[in-house]
Amino acid sequence: MMVQKEFEKQCVDAVSRAVSEMGVDPGDLPVEVPDGADLAIPCFVLAKPLGMPPVRIAEEIARRISVPSGLISGLTPLNGYLNFTVDSAAI
């Protein structure tokens, strides 16, 4: 369980840094555990402050995050979500 919490923290921190670079306070980012990814962060809450559609926000944030990094082995922007994959060697 500790690896999952650290993975979640690393994902949220990476997205928060990217959003801050885009000139917006990221606030509390929602986190989901969807099918097909180890963790997802939806970008819909950022649409209004950034003035962009969620799909474009996810793509821009993904470009700003260097992967692999720490426990994050993969990142895919998909339909307004950032889908993260954990490094399986860390589990």
Side-chain angles (χ1 to χ4, degrees):
M1 249 352 215
M2 296 204 40
V3 171
Q4 179 63 28
K5 285 288 186 193
E6 180 59 27
F7 173 63
E8 181 177 321
K9 180 184 180 315
Q10 288 181 20
C11 293
V12 170
D13 287 352
V15 172
S16 293
R17 278 192 305 276
V19 172
S20 293
E21 288 173 6
M22 295 167 75
V24 172
D25 179 358
D28 292 328
L29 296 169
V31 175
E32 301 176 8
V33 181
D35 292 336
D38 296 313
L39 186 133
I41 297 179
C43 297
F44 303 96
V45 298
L46 299 169
K48 187 172 183 178
L50 285 170
M52 298 180 346
V55 170
R56 189 163 154 230
I57 293 168
E59 291 168 352
E60 178 62 26
I61 291 171
R63 284 189 323 104
R64 293 172 180 260
I65 297 175
S66 179
V67 175
S69 174
L71 294 173
I72 304 169
S73 67
L75 168 58
T76 305
L78 181 65
N79 299 327
Y81 287 83
L82 293 161
N83 294 321
F84 290 88
T85 307
V86 69
D87 181 359
S88 58
I91 299 176

